[in-house]
Amino acid sequence: MDCLWKPRTRPAAFILACGDGNSRLSSLHWTRWNGRSAVARGVNVVNDCKPYCAAGTFHSYPVVVRFDRAEPWKKHPRVQHFTQLTLVFPGARPAGYERTVTYPLWN
């Protein structure tokens, strides 16, 4: 599901911070997409919010993206959606981020 609650398959981009767009995935190239998981390589574009978010600078970090834990979508139970997102940074990563970061996805 994207920020507008629309189902997407193999998106080229995905917003992680729906409220302000300060973190997003772009240039996604999918190597796997099935009912159990999806894996892509791409870029995480993150605002450093220095000195504050409106005046911050966006930085790009290579990332491996994994969606998993498919479950029925509450709005449309016949539609499955991934409920967990994992980001793995193989090189540089945003300040304060671990090498591997896992987030729950909205339902």
Side-chain angles (χ1 to χ4, degrees):
M1 304 300 145
D2 65 12
C3 290
L4 300 175
W5 298 96
K6 294 183 181 178
R8 300 284 183 228
T9 303
R10 295 179 185 87
F14 188 83
I15 296 176
L16 297 173
C18 289
D20 57 18
N22 282 322
S23 181
R24 65 185 180 274
L25 301 172
S26 65
S27 303
L28 296 175
H29 299 282
W30 298 95
T31 57
R32 178 179 11 169
W33 189 287
N34 59 46
R36 295 177 45 121
S37 65
V39 177
R41 289 192 173 273
V43 176
N44 186 194
V45 182
V46 181
N47 188 347
D48 64 15
C49 291
K50 293 179 184 176
Y52 51 92
C53 291
T57 301
F58 283 89
H59 303 275
S60 297
Y61 303 92
V63 69
V64 176
V65 178
R66 179 183 172 105
F67 288 105
D68 56 13
R69 294 198 180 164
E71 295 180 6
W73 183 25
K74 289 179 182 176
K75 287 180 80 171
H76 300 283
R78 292 185 179 181
V79 175
Q80 293 280 315
H81 75 109
F82 296 115
T83 61
Q84 182 172 279
L85 167 69
T86 301
L87 303 177
V88 178
F89 297 93
R93 60 187 185 267
Y97 281 50
E98 297 292 327
R99 178 118 0 248
T100 300
V101 183
T102 301
Y103 301 103
L105 292 174
W106 42 91
N107 206 1

XYZ file of all heavy atoms in Angstrom:
864
model
N 0.838 -1.169 0.000
C 0.000 0.000 0.000
C 0.886 1.235 0.000
O 1.882 1.276 0.694
C -0.878 0.058 1.250
C -1.757 -1.139 1.491
S -2.882 -1.409 0.169
C -2.923 -3.171 0.193
N 0.479 2.212 -0.754
C 1.230 3.462 -0.733
C 0.592 4.412 0.285
O -0.340 4.031 1.007
C 1.322 4.070 -2.129
C -0.022 4.500 -2.713
O -1.035 4.548 -1.972
O -0.060 4.800 -3.911
N 1.050 5.639 0.343
C 0.541 6.606 1.314
C -0.918 6.990 1.066
O -1.576 7.508 1.955
C 1.402 7.866 1.303
S 3.059 7.607 1.982
N -1.417 6.732 -0.126
C -2.815 7.033 -0.458
C -3.693 5.792 -0.358
O -4.801 5.774 -0.854
C -2.903 7.642 -1.863
C -2.113 8.941 -2.043
C -2.166 9.397 -3.494
C -2.631 10.021 -1.115
N -3.167 4.716 0.270
C -3.890 3.459 0.483
C -4.230 2.752 -0.813
O -5.246 2.094 -0.937
C -5.146 3.687 1.329
C -4.803 4.192 2.683
C -4.796 5.498 3.079
C -4.374 3.439 3.808
N -4.392 5.590 4.382
C -4.138 4.334 4.863
C -4.170 2.086 4.026
C -3.704 3.925 6.104
C -3.745 1.683 5.281
C -3.523 2.599 6.296
N -3.375 2.888 -1.813
C -3.563 2.187 -3.078
C -2.574 1.040 -3.161
O -1.386 1.225 -2.890
C -3.368 3.142 -4.261
C -4.423 4.211 -4.314
C -4.250 5.089 -5.510
C -5.324 6.167 -5.482
N -5.194 7.073 -6.583
N -3.049 -0.154 -3.548
C -2.116 -1.270 -3.695
C -1.166 -1.032 -4.866
O -1.558 -0.507 -5.904
C -3.019 -2.473 -3.975
C -4.414 -1.987 -3.972
C -4.417 -0.509 -3.811
N 0.094 -1.388 -4.673
C 1.108 -1.250 -5.722
C 1.879 -2.551 -5.822
O 2.127 -3.228 -4.826
C 2.086 -0.130 -5.398
C 1.466 1.229 -5.260
C 1.128 1.796 -6.617
N 0.610 3.135 -6.470
C -0.501 3.553 -7.063
N -1.182 2.763 -7.830
N -0.910 4.776 -6.884
N 2.289 -2.887 -7.031
C 3.129 -4.050 -7.271
C 4.412 -3.568 -7.924
O 4.364 -2.821 -8.905
C 2.418 -5.059 -8.196
O 1.181 -5.424 -7.596
C 3.259 -6.300 -8.396
N 5.524 -3.959 -7.367
C 6.855 -3.585 -7.869
C 6.989 -2.077 -8.123
O 7.352 -1.652 -9.221
C 7.180 -4.360 -9.139
C 7.313 -5.844 -8.923
C 7.610 -6.561 -10.247
N 7.619 -7.991 -10.073
C 6.543 -8.773 -10.142
N 5.368 -8.263 -10.407
N 6.653 -10.066 -9.964
N 6.739 -1.257 -7.112
C 6.856 0.190 -7.337
C 8.304 0.602 -7.599
O 9.232 0.000 -7.063
C 6.347 0.793 -6.026
C 6.619 -0.265 -5.005
C 6.418 -1.576 -5.730
N 8.488 1.616 -8.411
C 9.821 2.160 -8.677
C 10.252 3.079 -7.545
O 11.440 3.341 -7.358
C 9.824 2.922 -9.992
N 9.272 3.570 -6.770
C 9.546 4.463 -5.645
C 8.531 4.177 -4.543
O 7.441 3.667 -4.809
C 9.452 5.916 -6.089
N 8.896 4.510 -3.305
C 8.027 4.248 -2.164
C 8.352 5.273 -1.085
O 9.513 5.413 -0.690
C 8.278 2.823 -1.649
C 7.315 2.361 -0.607
C 6.088 1.831 -0.954
C 7.652 2.432 0.734
C 5.202 1.389 0.007
C 6.775 1.993 1.706
C 5.546 1.467 1.348
N 7.351 6.004 -0.606
C 7.570 7.007 0.433
C 7.503 6.333 1.796
O 6.521 5.651 2.107
C 6.541 8.148 0.327
C 6.714 8.889 -0.997
C 6.688 9.113 1.508
C 5.678 9.968 -1.249
N 8.536 6.520 2.596
C 8.571 5.953 3.942
C 7.967 6.906 4.970
O 7.366 6.478 5.941
C 10.009 5.620 4.348
C 10.703 4.563 3.489
C 12.158 4.451 3.883
C 9.995 3.236 3.614
N 8.141 8.200 4.771
C 7.617 9.213 5.685
C 6.448 9.908 4.991
O 6.607 10.971 4.401
C 8.704 10.203 6.055
N 5.273 9.284 5.064
C 4.116 9.785 4.324
C 3.719 11.208 4.717
O 3.267 11.977 3.892
C 2.918 8.854 4.517
S 3.094 7.277 3.675
N 3.877 11.562 5.982
C 3.454 12.884 6.439
C 4.261 14.022 5.847
O 3.716 15.073 5.535
N 5.563 13.817 5.665
C 6.397 14.930 5.218
C 7.332 14.594 4.060
O 8.018 15.464 3.545
C 7.216 15.481 6.387
C 8.087 14.427 7.055
O 8.346 13.371 6.453
O 8.511 14.680 8.199
N 7.424 13.328 3.662
C 8.265 12.944 2.532
C 9.751 13.054 2.791
O 10.542 13.089 1.855
N 10.162 13.101 4.057
C 11.576 13.274 4.373
C 12.407 11.998 4.266
O 13.611 12.026 4.477
C 11.742 13.904 5.758
C 11.481 15.393 5.722
O 11.837 16.072 4.770
N 10.835 15.909 6.751
N 11.760 10.886 3.952
C 12.492 9.640 3.688
C 11.715 8.876 2.631
O 10.521 8.627 2.783
C 12.622 8.797 4.962
O 13.348 7.617 4.692
N 12.412 8.522 1.544
C 11.738 7.797 0.468
C 12.726 6.848 -0.209
O 13.935 7.048 -0.148
C 11.114 8.750 -0.540
C 12.098 9.586 -1.299
C 11.390 10.611 -2.212
N 12.329 11.408 -2.946
C 12.902 12.509 -2.502
N 12.640 12.957 -1.302
N 13.763 13.179 -3.252
N 12.160 5.836 -0.822
C 12.952 4.886 -1.599
C 12.766 5.238 -3.064
O 11.644 5.542 -3.498
C 12.481 3.462 -1.335
C 12.548 3.015 0.124
C 11.873 1.661 0.283
C 13.983 2.979 0.607
N 13.834 5.183 -3.836
C 13.722 5.471 -5.268
C 14.618 4.518 -6.051
O 15.422 3.788 -5.478
C 14.099 6.934 -5.558
O 15.451 7.164 -5.253
N 14.437 4.532 -7.359
C 15.227 3.696 -8.275
C 15.199 2.227 -7.865
O 16.214 1.535 -7.916
C 16.672 4.193 -8.343
O 16.719 5.548 -8.730
N 14.026 1.749 -7.444
C 13.901 0.364 -6.996
C 13.907 -0.593 -8.174
O 13.150 -0.424 -9.134
C 12.620 0.188 -6.174
C 12.568 0.970 -4.872
C 11.204 0.812 -4.210
C 13.691 0.552 -3.938
N 14.777 -1.600 -8.102
C 14.878 -2.656 -9.112
C 14.646 -3.980 -8.389
O 15.468 -4.393 -7.560
C 16.243 -2.628 -9.796
C 16.497 -1.347 -10.517
N 15.949 -1.063 -11.750
C 17.205 -0.257 -10.156
C 16.320 0.145 -12.120
N 17.089 0.657 -11.167
N 13.529 -4.608 -8.698
C 13.075 -5.795 -7.969
C 13.737 -7.063 -8.482
O 13.740 -7.320 -9.671
C 11.549 -5.895 -8.057
C 10.918 -4.710 -7.408
C 10.506 -3.567 -8.024
C 10.718 -4.524 -6.016
N 10.054 -2.676 -7.085
C 10.167 -3.235 -5.849
C 10.949 -5.306 -4.890
C 9.832 -2.737 -4.590
C 10.624 -4.809 -3.650
C 10.068 -3.530 -3.505
N 14.289 -7.845 -7.556
C 14.889 -9.132 -7.907
C 13.980 -10.287 -7.493
O 14.161 -11.398 -7.956
C 16.264 -9.304 -7.234
O 16.112 -9.174 -5.826
C 17.239 -8.258 -7.758
N 13.022 -10.004 -6.610
C 12.045 -11.024 -6.199
C 10.743 -10.329 -5.829
O 10.757 -9.258 -5.225
C 12.552 -11.799 -4.991
C 11.536 -12.821 -4.516
C 11.980 -13.641 -3.333
N 13.195 -13.129 -2.726
C 13.665 -13.532 -1.570
N 13.058 -14.460 -0.895
N 14.773 -13.030 -1.078
N 9.618 -10.945 -6.221
C 8.298 -10.456 -5.810
C 7.364 -11.645 -5.871
O 7.051 -12.138 -6.953
C 7.814 -9.337 -6.719
C 6.577 -8.687 -6.188
C 5.309 -9.203 -6.171
C 6.482 -7.406 -5.562
N 4.445 -8.330 -5.572
C 5.139 -7.208 -5.187
C 7.410 -6.408 -5.279
C 4.699 -6.054 -4.555
C 6.959 -5.258 -4.651
C 5.626 -5.078 -4.300
N 6.953 -12.131 -4.707
C 5.990 -13.228 -4.661
C 5.081 -13.026 -3.460
O 5.118 -11.973 -2.819
C 6.709 -14.590 -4.628
C 7.632 -14.750 -3.453
O 7.285 -14.432 -2.314
N 8.835 -15.256 -3.702
N 4.274 -13.991 -3.129
C 3.314 -13.855 -2.048
C 3.911 -13.842 -0.659
O 3.246 -13.497 0.313
N 5.184 -14.200 -0.544
C 5.839 -14.252 0.774
C 6.749 -13.067 1.040
O 6.871 -12.609 2.170
C 6.632 -15.540 0.906
C 5.763 -16.775 0.903
C 6.598 -18.024 0.961
N 7.663 -17.890 1.957
C 7.819 -18.676 2.999
N 6.995 -19.654 3.180
N 8.821 -18.493 3.831
N 7.432 -12.586 -0.007
C 8.370 -11.479 0.190
C 8.692 -10.808 -1.137
O 8.392 -11.336 -2.202
C 9.664 -11.967 0.854
O 10.342 -12.851 -0.005
N 9.305 -9.656 -1.022
C 9.763 -8.909 -2.192
C 11.103 -8.282 -1.836
O 11.285 -7.786 -0.717
C 8.752 -7.841 -2.572
N 12.050 -8.321 -2.777
C 13.390 -7.782 -2.533
C 13.795 -6.893 -3.701
O 13.573 -7.252 -4.865
C 14.424 -8.918 -2.350
C 15.829 -8.352 -2.162
C 14.039 -9.817 -1.181
N 14.390 -5.750 -3.379
C 14.854 -4.815 -4.408
C 16.133 -4.142 -3.947
O 16.450 -4.105 -2.761
C 13.791 -3.753 -4.689
N 16.853 -3.603 -4.915
C 17.972 -2.700 -4.649
C 17.524 -1.330 -5.113
O 16.784 -1.206 -6.083
C 19.216 -3.127 -5.413
C 19.819 -4.392 -4.867
C 21.217 -4.643 -5.457
N 21.825 -5.775 -4.800
C 22.532 -5.700 -3.677
N 22.736 -4.534 -3.100
N 23.055 -6.787 -3.140
N 17.975 -0.317 -4.397
C 17.602 1.040 -4.767
C 18.358 2.048 -3.931
O 19.470 1.789 -3.458
N 17.717 3.184 -3.716
C 18.326 4.298 -2.998
C 17.330 4.789 -1.952
O 16.143 4.943 -2.242
C 18.677 5.447 -3.974
C 19.227 6.652 -3.239
C 19.658 4.962 -5.032
N 17.809 5.018 -0.736
C 17.007 5.668 0.301
C 17.436 7.130 0.327
O 18.598 7.438 0.593
C 17.242 4.995 1.646
C 16.337 5.499 2.763
O 16.597 5.223 3.921
N 15.281 6.200 2.463
N 16.507 8.016 0.016
C 16.772 9.451 0.006
C 16.208 10.016 1.308
O 15.010 9.927 1.559
C 16.126 10.122 -1.225
C 16.447 11.605 -1.249
C 16.590 9.443 -2.513
N 17.098 10.573 2.148
C 16.729 10.994 3.492
C 17.128 12.449 3.725
O 18.250 12.849 3.415
C 17.432 10.097 4.548
C 17.050 10.507 5.956
C 17.105 8.635 4.309
N 16.203 13.219 4.291
C 16.476 14.600 4.665
C 17.224 14.612 5.995
O 16.792 13.977 6.955
C 15.143 15.354 4.801
C 15.308 16.846 5.001
O 16.390 17.339 5.271
N 14.203 17.561 4.878
N 18.332 15.341 6.078
C 19.078 15.418 7.338
C 18.437 16.378 8.342
O 18.823 16.426 9.505
C 20.548 15.768 7.104
C 20.767 17.140 6.490
O 19.843 17.988 6.471
O 21.900 17.368 6.012
N 17.465 17.155 7.883
C 16.701 18.082 8.747
C 17.595 19.048 9.529
O 17.286 19.429 10.661
C 15.773 17.308 9.684
S 14.408 16.498 8.825
N 18.722 19.441 8.932
C 19.631 20.398 9.572
C 19.598 21.721 8.823
O 19.789 21.724 7.605
C 21.058 19.831 9.588
C 21.211 18.627 10.478
C 22.631 18.107 10.427
C 22.750 16.842 11.243
N 24.076 16.252 11.146
N 19.349 22.833 9.416
C 19.079 23.012 10.838
C 17.653 22.603 11.243
O 17.373 22.393 12.413
C 19.287 24.506 11.050
C 18.950 25.122 9.728
C 19.371 24.097 8.696
N 16.758 22.480 10.285
C 15.403 21.959 10.522
C 14.946 21.380 9.185
O 15.552 21.631 8.138
C 14.452 23.038 11.048
C 14.425 24.305 10.230
C 13.500 24.476 9.204
C 15.350 25.322 10.462
C 13.494 25.638 8.435
C 15.350 26.477 9.706
C 14.407 26.634 8.693
O 14.408 27.774 7.935
N 13.890 20.568 9.190
C 13.545 19.781 7.998
C 13.270 20.623 6.750
O 13.706 20.268 5.661
C 12.370 18.859 8.295
S 12.822 17.524 9.445
N 12.589 21.753 6.909
C 12.275 22.573 5.733
C 13.529 23.135 5.079
O 13.534 23.426 3.884
C 11.317 23.703 6.108
N 14.598 23.272 5.833
C 15.858 23.807 5.293
C 16.921 22.717 5.174
O 18.072 23.019 4.864
C 16.371 24.930 6.201
N 16.539 21.468 5.393
C 17.496 20.363 5.367
C 17.955 20.006 3.966
O 17.456 20.516 2.965
N 18.906 19.102 3.911
C 19.468 18.617 2.657
C 19.158 17.131 2.521
O 19.293 16.376 3.482
C 21.002 18.818 2.656
O 21.274 20.209 2.829
C 21.624 18.337 1.358
N 18.760 16.712 1.320
C 18.495 15.301 1.060
C 19.796 14.610 0.649
O 20.556 15.128 -0.158
C 17.434 15.144 -0.030
C 16.043 15.405 0.471
C 15.510 16.679 0.447
C 15.272 14.370 0.985
C 14.222 16.919 0.915
C 13.997 14.599 1.458
C 13.473 15.876 1.422
N 20.018 13.429 1.236
C 21.191 12.616 0.942
C 20.722 11.246 0.468
O 19.716 10.719 0.961
C 22.067 12.455 2.189
C 22.508 13.754 2.770
N 23.628 14.428 2.328
C 21.965 14.524 3.738
C 23.768 15.546 3.011
N 22.771 15.634 3.876
N 21.454 10.652 -0.456
C 21.089 9.356 -1.032
C 22.019 8.264 -0.522
O 23.237 8.450 -0.491
C 21.171 9.420 -2.555
O 20.244 10.364 -3.052
N 21.416 7.121 -0.164
C 22.174 5.987 0.361
C 21.740 4.714 -0.361
O 20.535 4.410 -0.393
C 21.910 5.803 1.863
C 22.231 7.037 2.668
C 21.244 7.989 2.932
C 23.515 7.258 3.140
C 21.539 9.131 3.660
C 23.821 8.393 3.873
C 22.823 9.332 4.126
O 23.123 10.454 4.837
N 22.660 3.959 -0.938
C 22.287 2.675 -1.533
C 21.666 1.779 -0.461
O 22.097 1.791 0.703
C 23.612 2.096 -2.031
C 24.524 3.274 -2.161
C 24.090 4.238 -1.078
N 20.654 1.017 -0.862
C 19.937 0.201 0.111
C 19.366 -1.051 -0.551
O 19.054 -1.043 -1.744
C 18.811 1.036 0.773
C 17.701 1.366 -0.202
C 18.248 0.367 2.004
N 19.289 -2.116 0.230
C 18.561 -3.320 -0.166
C 17.258 -3.277 0.620
O 17.256 -3.078 1.839
C 19.341 -4.607 0.153
C 18.508 -5.836 -0.178
C 20.657 -4.627 -0.606
N 16.151 -3.435 -0.081
C 14.814 -3.318 0.497
C 14.161 -4.687 0.507
O 14.227 -5.417 -0.491
C 13.956 -2.348 -0.355
C 12.548 -2.241 0.200
C 14.626 -0.994 -0.455
N 13.520 -5.017 1.622
C 12.774 -6.266 1.688
C 11.408 -5.992 2.307
O 11.316 -5.417 3.387
C 13.518 -7.308 2.519
C 12.757 -8.620 2.622
C 13.489 -9.616 3.505
N 12.669 -10.779 3.741
C 12.853 -11.958 3.163
N 13.849 -12.116 2.323
N 12.070 -12.960 3.436
N 10.365 -6.392 1.593
C 9.012 -6.385 2.131
C 8.662 -7.831 2.460
O 8.938 -8.731 1.669
C 8.009 -5.903 1.079
C 8.080 -4.432 0.776
C 8.656 -3.982 -0.399
C 7.538 -3.507 1.647
C 8.696 -2.634 -0.706
C 7.584 -2.146 1.355
C 8.156 -1.713 0.183
N 8.042 -8.066 3.644
C 7.572 -9.412 3.938
C 6.431 -9.379 4.943
O 5.886 -8.316 5.217
C 8.709 -10.344 4.381
C 9.507 -9.864 5.550
O 9.080 -8.923 6.232
O 10.561 -10.433 5.793
N 6.079 -10.561 5.470
C 4.945 -10.756 6.372
C 3.631 -10.335 5.707
O 2.929 -9.438 6.178
C 5.147 -10.037 7.688
C 6.306 -10.629 8.476
C 6.258 -10.240 9.913
N 7.386 -10.842 10.605
C 7.803 -10.475 11.783
N 7.206 -9.497 12.427
N 8.819 -11.083 12.341
N 3.295 -10.989 4.620
C 2.046 -10.695 3.913
C 0.853 -11.118 4.765
O 0.854 -12.184 5.374
C 2.021 -11.414 2.573
N -0.145 -10.245 4.797
C -1.385 -10.492 5.522
C -2.545 -9.911 4.730
O -2.344 -9.027 3.899
C -1.345 -9.826 6.900
C -0.308 -10.380 7.849
C -0.316 -9.677 9.199
O -1.214 -8.832 9.442
O 0.568 -9.968 10.002
N -3.772 -10.358 5.006
C -4.928 -9.746 4.347
C -5.051 -8.272 4.756
O -4.826 -7.922 5.914
C -6.123 -10.558 4.874
C -5.537 -11.837 5.367
C -4.160 -11.494 5.846
N -5.391 -7.440 3.803
C -5.585 -6.014 4.041
C -6.947 -5.834 4.695
O -7.955 -6.351 4.192
C -5.497 -5.281 2.715
C -5.615 -3.800 2.775
C -5.338 -2.981 3.828
C -6.020 -2.936 1.712
N -5.540 -1.664 3.487
C -5.967 -1.614 2.202
C -6.423 -3.158 0.404
C -6.302 -0.518 1.411
C -6.753 -2.063 -0.373
C -6.685 -0.759 0.120
N -7.013 -5.101 5.798
C -8.272 -4.937 6.536
C -9.383 -4.331 5.685
O -10.536 -4.717 5.807
C -8.051 -4.094 7.796
C -7.272 -4.833 8.862
C -7.054 -3.977 10.087
C -6.222 -4.746 11.116
N -5.907 -3.929 12.278
N -9.040 -3.379 4.816
C -10.065 -2.742 3.972
C -10.610 -3.682 2.903
O -11.754 -3.563 2.493
C -9.499 -1.483 3.303
C -9.311 -0.316 4.241
C -8.764 0.881 3.508
C -9.900 1.584 2.790
N -9.483 2.872 2.222
N -9.767 -4.591 2.422
C -10.140 -5.544 1.374
C -9.472 -6.877 1.704
O -8.381 -7.162 1.209
C -9.701 -5.044 -0.001
C -10.309 -3.743 -0.385
N -11.608 -3.638 -0.823
C -9.816 -2.489 -0.376
C -11.878 -2.367 -1.070
N -10.809 -1.643 -0.798
N -10.115 -7.701 2.552
C -9.473 -8.919 3.045
C -8.986 -9.901 1.977
O -8.125 -10.721 2.257
C -10.555 -9.552 3.918
C -11.425 -8.412 4.331
C -11.411 -7.466 3.169
N -9.470 -9.799 0.757
C -8.985 -10.698 -0.298
C -7.671 -10.212 -0.911
O -7.053 -10.912 -1.700
C -10.037 -10.864 -1.387
C -11.242 -11.613 -0.887
C -12.213 -11.869 -1.975
N -13.337 -12.613 -1.420
C -14.350 -13.007 -2.115
N -14.417 -12.744 -3.410
N -15.324 -13.666 -1.552
N -7.274 -9.000 -0.552
C -6.022 -8.422 -1.046
C -4.954 -8.609 0.036
O -5.144 -8.211 1.180
C -6.185 -6.920 -1.369
C -4.849 -6.298 -1.757
C -7.228 -6.715 -2.452
N -3.838 -9.227 -0.333
C -2.710 -9.386 0.576
C -1.801 -8.166 0.474
O -1.662 -7.572 -0.593
C -1.905 -10.635 0.190
C -2.649 -11.934 0.391
C -2.619 -12.374 1.841
O -1.587 -12.327 2.495
N -3.763 -12.802 2.337
N -1.195 -7.801 1.592
C -0.198 -6.729 1.564
C 0.911 -7.070 2.548
O 0.715 -7.811 3.506
C -0.826 -5.366 1.878
C -1.165 -5.174 3.328
N -0.464 -4.330 4.129
C -2.116 -5.720 4.107
C -0.969 -4.369 5.358
N -1.974 -5.200 5.364
N 2.085 -6.530 2.274
C 3.226 -6.755 3.136
C 3.098 -5.852 4.363
O 2.724 -4.685 4.247
C 4.533 -6.473 2.403
C 4.765 -7.402 1.251
C 4.796 -6.944 -0.058
C 4.953 -8.760 1.471
C 5.018 -7.803 -1.123
C 5.177 -9.636 0.420
C 5.201 -9.158 -0.874
N 3.424 -6.385 5.538
C 3.272 -5.624 6.773
C 4.604 -5.295 7.439
O 4.623 -4.689 8.499
C 2.388 -6.398 7.776
O 3.019 -7.638 8.092
C 1.004 -6.645 7.198
N 5.711 -5.688 6.823
C 7.026 -5.380 7.386
C 7.991 -4.974 6.280
O 7.993 -5.564 5.206
C 7.585 -6.593 8.121
C 8.931 -6.335 8.772
C 9.350 -7.487 9.646
O 8.915 -7.591 10.774
N 10.194 -8.357 9.117
N 8.788 -3.970 6.569
C 9.800 -3.456 5.641
C 11.149 -3.505 6.343
O 11.276 -3.040 7.485
C 9.470 -2.013 5.263
C 10.563 -1.215 4.564
C 10.792 -1.746 3.159
C 10.205 0.248 4.519
N 12.147 -4.056 5.667
C 13.510 -4.067 6.193
C 14.426 -3.377 5.191
O 14.360 -3.655 3.997
C 13.988 -5.517 6.441
O 13.096 -6.134 7.375
C 15.401 -5.536 6.999
N 15.258 -2.480 5.700
C 16.261 -1.794 4.888
C 17.632 -2.256 5.355
O 17.900 -2.295 6.565
C 16.173 -0.277 5.067
C 14.838 0.387 4.768
C 14.929 1.883 5.072
C 14.438 0.146 3.335
N 18.492 -2.610 4.410
C 19.874 -2.978 4.721
C 20.777 -2.018 3.949
O 20.679 -1.932 2.710
C 20.176 -4.439 4.331
C 21.632 -4.771 4.627
C 19.236 -5.392 5.055
N 21.610 -1.310 4.674
C 22.545 -0.361 4.069
C 23.897 -1.045 3.911
O 24.602 -1.261 4.896
C 22.668 0.895 4.944
C 21.387 1.660 5.072
C 20.520 1.421 6.129
C 21.033 2.592 4.116
C 19.326 2.117 6.245
C 19.836 3.295 4.214
C 18.986 3.055 5.285
N 24.314 -1.372 2.682
C 25.584 -2.070 2.473
C 26.804 -1.171 2.646
O 27.916 -1.664 2.828
C 25.487 -2.586 1.042
C 24.504 -1.688 0.373
C 23.556 -1.231 1.445
N 26.607 0.137 2.601
C 27.717 1.083 2.742
C 27.318 2.178 3.711
O 26.896 1.905 4.837
N 27.435 3.421 3.251
C 27.063 4.561 4.091
C 25.576 4.488 4.427
O 24.778 3.909 3.685
C 27.376 5.864 3.361
N 25.234 5.096 5.565
C 23.834 5.115 5.981
C 23.555 6.436 6.705
O 24.491 7.095 7.174
C 23.520 3.926 6.858
C 24.322 3.841 8.114
C 24.042 2.513 8.824
N 24.697 2.415 10.102
C 25.883 1.871 10.315
N 26.566 1.390 9.305
N 26.389 1.810 11.528
N 22.283 6.812 6.822
C 21.965 8.070 7.510
C 22.416 8.043 8.969
O 22.444 6.983 9.609
C 20.435 8.145 7.427
C 20.054 7.231 6.302
C 21.096 6.157 6.281
N 22.740 9.199 9.494
C 23.158 9.319 10.896
C 22.080 8.742 11.802
O 20.886 9.006 11.610
C 23.412 10.781 11.244
N 22.500 7.927 12.762
C 21.572 7.345 13.713
C 20.917 6.055 13.265
O 20.208 5.427 14.042
N 21.129 5.638 12.029
C 20.547 4.399 11.514
C 21.493 3.233 11.779
O 22.707 3.375 11.653
C 20.337 4.470 10.002
C 19.135 5.239 9.533
C 18.854 6.523 9.977
C 18.284 4.682 8.583
C 17.761 7.228 9.511
C 17.192 5.383 8.103
C 16.931 6.654 8.579
O 15.849 7.360 8.118
N 20.933 2.096 12.111
C 21.706 0.859 12.183
C 21.935 0.356 10.761
O 21.263 0.811 9.821
C 20.943 -0.198 12.985
C 20.711 0.185 14.441
C 21.996 0.222 15.247
O 22.901 -0.585 14.961
O 22.095 1.066 16.160
N 22.807 -0.605 10.569
C 23.040 -1.180 9.242
C 21.762 -1.834 8.698
O 21.471 -1.772 7.523
C 24.171 -2.210 9.293
C 24.420 -2.867 7.991
C 25.762 -2.710 7.332
N 26.796 -1.941 7.945
C 27.247 -0.775 7.457
N 26.735 -0.265 6.373
N 28.211 -0.133 8.053
N 20.989 -2.465 9.579
C 19.704 -3.069 9.210
C 18.614 -2.426 10.050
O 18.736 -2.362 11.284
C 19.721 -4.590 9.453
O 20.767 -5.169 8.660
C 18.402 -5.223 9.080
N 17.570 -1.941 9.389
C 16.462 -1.272 10.066
C 15.162 -1.943 9.606
O 14.962 -2.132 8.413
C 16.415 0.236 9.717
C 15.304 0.944 10.472
C 17.751 0.896 9.966
N 14.294 -2.276 10.570
C 13.018 -2.908 10.242
C 11.878 -2.053 10.761
O 11.933 -1.550 11.894
C 12.944 -4.329 10.863
O 14.030 -5.102 10.339
C 11.646 -5.006 10.526
N 10.861 -1.876 9.910
C 9.691 -1.059 10.245
C 8.414 -1.871 10.024
O 8.315 -2.605 9.037
C 9.589 0.163 9.325
C 10.755 1.097 9.353
C 11.681 1.098 8.324
C 10.912 2.014 10.387
C 12.758 1.985 8.317
C 11.977 2.903 10.386
C 12.888 2.888 9.357
O 13.941 3.753 9.355
N 7.413 -1.652 10.876
C 6.091 -2.203 10.545
C 5.467 -1.304 9.474
O 5.748 -0.094 9.435
C 5.321 -2.103 11.862
C 5.974 -0.978 12.605
C 7.436 -0.980 12.162
N 4.677 -1.881 8.601
C 3.967 -1.094 7.583
C 2.515 -0.957 7.983
O 1.958 -1.819 8.664
C 4.083 -1.765 6.211
C 5.479 -1.772 5.608
C 5.498 -2.587 4.333
C 5.933 -0.336 5.318
N 1.893 0.113 7.548
C 0.507 0.397 7.881
C -0.413 -0.697 7.359
O -0.107 -1.381 6.413
C 0.089 1.764 7.355
C 0.593 2.026 5.977
C -0.045 1.752 4.813
C 1.872 2.549 5.606
N 0.752 2.096 3.753
C 1.931 2.580 4.199
C 2.967 3.005 6.326
C 3.030 3.052 3.502
C 4.053 3.464 5.625
C 4.076 3.490 4.235
N -1.536 -0.804 8.007
C -2.501 -1.824 7.679
C -3.681 -1.159 7.082
O -4.745 -1.340 6.986
C -2.807 -2.623 8.946
C -3.278 -4.021 8.679
O -3.381 -4.448 7.560
N -3.561 -4.711 9.736
